[in-house]
């Protein structure tokens, strides 16, 4: 069964450092997403990406965040200067189309900012 | 009012019990609805989509009431492996592609 894969599974970084989280969406999916979940809280939308551009972003997705699809398979989330409050589980997801279809999630990257 | 609201639980039920979860959503223009399941520190996994006519998948039945902006999930014959957090998830429509998650309802099935 095709799945979304994410690397690394766990990343520890110092405050102020840049991190890049990587994802390989399901191959025939066209829409890609990043969500995050702070420990004990609900899953929150960050950004959606379609046709090589951001199609929607939340208030959380400020200038310190960026996304990129550097090649035909990878989808990355970069956090430029990490803060303690960026510590969370980051989930990548993909869907065949943007509406009325299910999104499938990767296993997540646990980011710990120290 | 929260965009997607769920009773956090926990619901503690014996094996074999029937349990129902409810969820309300705030935006009447919402277009699509899902139940996801999340195990501790794992990713959300799609359990089922929720259709206007209601739908069933084995022991799981989902219902949607658009007039009341209400979604339900019924689990029959609960198994120990059903223990998880059940997430009500809504696409709010109006041009949005993002999914909005409820905080989840925790289910613990006991032997």
């Amino acid at each position: 069964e095709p799945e979304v894969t994410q690397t690394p599974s766990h990343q520890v970084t110092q405050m102020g450092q840049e991190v890049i989280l990587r994802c390989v969406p399901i191959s025939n999916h066209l829409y890609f997403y990043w969500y995050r979940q702070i420990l004990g809280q609900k899953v929150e939308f960050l950004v959606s990406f379609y046709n090589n551009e951001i199609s929607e972003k939340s208030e959380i997705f400020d200038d310190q965040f960026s996304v990129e699809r550097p090649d035909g398979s990878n989808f990355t989330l970069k956090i430029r200067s990490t803060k303690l409050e960026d510590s969370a589980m980051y989930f990548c997801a993909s869907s065949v189309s943007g509406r009325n279809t299910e999104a499938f999630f990767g296993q997540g990257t646990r980011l710990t900012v120290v | 009012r929260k965009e997607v609201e769920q009773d956090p639980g926990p619901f503690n039920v014996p094996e074999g019990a029937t349990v129902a979860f409810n969820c309300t959503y705030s935006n009447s223009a919402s277009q699509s609805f899902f139940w996801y399941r999340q195990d501790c520190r794992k990713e959300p996994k799609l359990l089922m989509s929720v259709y206007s006519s209601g739908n069933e998948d084995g022991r799981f039945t989902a219902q949607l009431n658009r007039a009341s902006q209400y979604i339900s999930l019924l689990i029959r014959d609960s198994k120990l492996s059903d223990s998880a957090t059940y997430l009500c998830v809504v696409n709010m429509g109006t041009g949005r592609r993002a999914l909005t998650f409820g905080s989840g309802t925790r289910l613990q099935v006991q032997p």
Side-chain angles (χ1 to χ4, degrees):
Chain A
E1 185 180 319
E3 58 181 19
V4 177
T5 57
Q6 290 185 242
T7 53
S9 56
H10 191 186
Q11 172 107 33
V12 181
T13 189
Q14 288 203 319
M15 196 166 54
Q17 295 297 302
E18 175 183 286
V19 294
I20 297 177
L21 309 183
R22 301 177 195 280
C23 169
V24 178
I26 295 173
S27 61
N28 64 332
H29 286 190
L30 301 178
Y31 289 81
F32 315 124
Y33 313 86
W34 285 101
Y35 289 81
R36 80 170 186 192
Q37 186 174 32
I38 295 169
L39 189 63
Q41 297 186 23
K42 65 178 183 176
V43 177
E44 300 174 291
F45 169 75
L46 293 178
V47 65
S48 64
F49 193 85
Y50 169 71
N51 201 24
N52 283 320
E53 61 183 24
I54 290 173
S55 55
E56 186 182 351
K57 60 183 180 179
S58 72
E59 291 173 353
I60 304 168
F61 193 88
D62 61 22
D63 291 344
Q64 69 159 344
F65 291 93
S66 62
V67 289
E68 196 177 34
R69 188 153 161 83
D71 54 44
S73 59
N74 289 288
F75 178 52
T76 62
L77 174 70
K78 183 193 289 186
I79 310 175
R80 254 179 280 284
S81 175
T82 50
K83 304 176 190 136
L84 294 176
E85 55 265 36
D86 293 328
S87 295
M89 194 76 152
Y90 287 81
F91 294 110
C92 175
S94 67
S95 64
V96 170
S97 71
R99 294 195 198 114
N100 299 326
T101 60
E102 303 92 349
F104 295 89
F105 285 75
Q107 82 280 17
T109 293
R110 178 165 299 284
L111 177 66
T112 303
V113 183
V114 297
Chain B
R1 182 181 173 184
K2 289 182 187 174
E3 290 184 297
V4 179
E5 197 149 5
Q6 295 182 252
D7 179 346
F11 283 54
N12 294 303
V13 303
E15 266 187 293
T18 295
V19 61
F21 305 136
N22 302 319
C23 166
T24 56
Y25 59 94
S26 61
N27 188 342
S28 60
S30 297
Q31 292 189 342
S32 46
F33 312 88
F34 310 95
W35 284 101
Y36 279 75
R37 165 198 171 125
Q38 187 174 33
D39 293 291
C40 189
R41 297 187 175 235
K42 300 285 189 183
E43 76 273 24
K45 287 188 175 170
L46 178 69
L47 184 63
M48 57 198 303
S49 301
V50 187
Y51 303 119
S52 297
S53 54
N55 48 301
E56 189 174 305
D57 183 0
R59 297 182 293 110
F60 299 86
T61 301
Q63 298 276 354
L64 168 64
N65 184 325
R66 283 191 184 269
S68 302
Q69 294 176 212
Y70 170 98
I71 306 158
S72 66
L73 176 70
L74 184 79
I75 305 175
R76 287 182 298 279
D77 189 22
S78 301
K79 314 283 184 202
L80 294 176
S81 56
D82 293 334
S83 298
T85 297
Y86 290 82
L87 306 175
C88 178
V89 181
V90 177
N91 171 276
M92 291 286 178
T94 57
R96 296 183 59 185
R97 290 182 171 81
L99 295 176
T100 302
F101 284 73
S103 299
T105 299
R106 199 161 138 243
L107 172 66
Q108 186 67 46
V109 181
Q110 292 162 340

